[in-house]
Amino acid sequence: MTIIQDSSFSHCIGLKSVIIPNTVTHIEYSAFDQCLSLTSIAIPNSVISIGDWAFAGSGLTSVTIPNSVTSIRDMTFYATSLTKVTIPNSVTNLGNFAFSTCHNLRSIYFQGSPPQLGTETFTDDLNLNLTLYYLPNATNGWTNPFGGRPTKLWSPTFGTLNNVAGVISCTITGAPTIPVGLEVSSNLTTGPWIRLYTSSLDGAGTYTFTDTDATNKPVRFYRMVGP
């Protein structure tokens, strides 16, 4: 077991990037707090818990939380610059103020059942535009609002693909106004996947996309992701 100890990199304002080895199991108290130049981090599958204040006040705009993490503690991402977060279905607990004062945070995507919440996990005067999204396979227990924030079912589906003179079009349907990212690839197994559109369904729950570049591609695959 390897642990990133309390305050290991706290207030390292020049720290721009970190590679966490897959031997690390715990990121402890205040490990990266106030690392103002640290904008993104990928947490490996070996990590099972992220401690209090671990990234609080850092410059994080994106983070990858693996399905091995079971707990996100108090103030873990407090006052970061995150814009969106995906919470894996392994997480059962979000601590006090875990995502509070994240004034750029607009969406959190939950892949599982609703976790147990601490005090003011999401809510404060700066998180007024935050919406929580959950998947159709985990609807039990979700309420609207949840933890003081509105919730929506994220369930966009593809309609029939149409091909007219090599131009692909399709209508996506789902809950009104949910955000959708659309990616395209010519190889289903290896990718790469390229972002084609980022949009939201309209008030009727529809969005029609076109792919004019399909004319020059013998094979095209499409998938929907969070924006």
Side-chain angles (χ1 to χ4, degrees):
M1 181 174 68
T2 302
I3 297 173
I4 298 179
Q5 300 284 354
D6 295 356
S7 304
S8 293
F9 301 95
S10 178
H11 289 78
C12 293
I13 60 174
L15 183 66
K16 294 182 179 180
S17 64
V18 175
I19 298 176
I20 299 177
N22 58 14
T23 55
V24 172
T25 57
H26 296 75
I27 300 173
E28 294 294 289
Y29 171 83
S30 198
F32 296 95
D33 86 285
Q34 301 301 319
C35 292
L36 302 180
S37 299
L38 183 63
T39 57
S40 66
I41 194 165
I43 300 170
N45 289 325
S46 55
V47 173
I48 61 174
S49 71
I50 306 174
D52 299 350
W53 291 83
F55 297 98
S58 70
L60 282 185
T61 58
S62 66
V63 62
T64 300
I65 302 172
N67 205 41
S68 55
V69 172
T70 59
S71 176
I72 296 174
R73 303 287 295 280
D74 297 350
M75 312 283 281
T76 297
F77 295 103
Y78 175 84
T80 60
S81 298
L82 291 170
T83 58
K84 65 175 182 178
V85 179
T86 298
I87 305 294
N89 58 16
S90 57
V91 172
T92 59
N93 178 75
L94 298 178
N96 301 330
F97 303 97
F99 292 97
S100 182
T101 316
C102 296
H103 59 274
N104 294 324
L105 189 58
R106 297 293 181 267
S107 53
I108 299 180
Y109 296 87
F110 288 88
Q111 296 181 330
S113 301
Q116 181 178 347
L117 301 181
T119 301
E120 302 291 333
T121 298
F122 315 111
T123 55
D124 61 65
D125 290 342
L126 297 178
N127 283 15
L128 294 179
N129 295 315
L130 172 62
T131 300
L132 312 180
Y133 298 92
Y134 59 94
L135 300 178
N137 63 343
T139 57
N140 289 340
W142 286 102
T143 60
N144 187 17
F146 180 75
R149 302 309 310 145
T151 61
K152 286 187 177 182
L153 177 65
W154 198 83
S155 59
T157 58
F158 283 112
T160 301
L161 286 173
N162 300 299
N163 187 337
V164 179
V167 176
I168 299 293
S169 65
C170 181
T171 297
I172 298 171
T173 60
T177 72
I178 62 172
V180 174
L182 183 69
E183 296 181 341
V184 63
S185 177
S186 59
N187 191 309
L188 185 62
T189 304
T190 62
W193 290 90
I194 300 170
R195 182 60 62 100
L196 188 63
Y197 289 107
T198 298
S199 189
S200 296
L201 305 192
D202 60 22
T206 64
Y207 171 72
T208 300
F209 75 87
T210 57
D211 181 9
T212 58
D213 194 42
T215 304
N216 303 314
K217 308 292 183 181
V219 178
R220 298 288 262 179
F221 297 97
Y222 301 91
R223 69 180 184 185
M224 287 180 287
V225 296

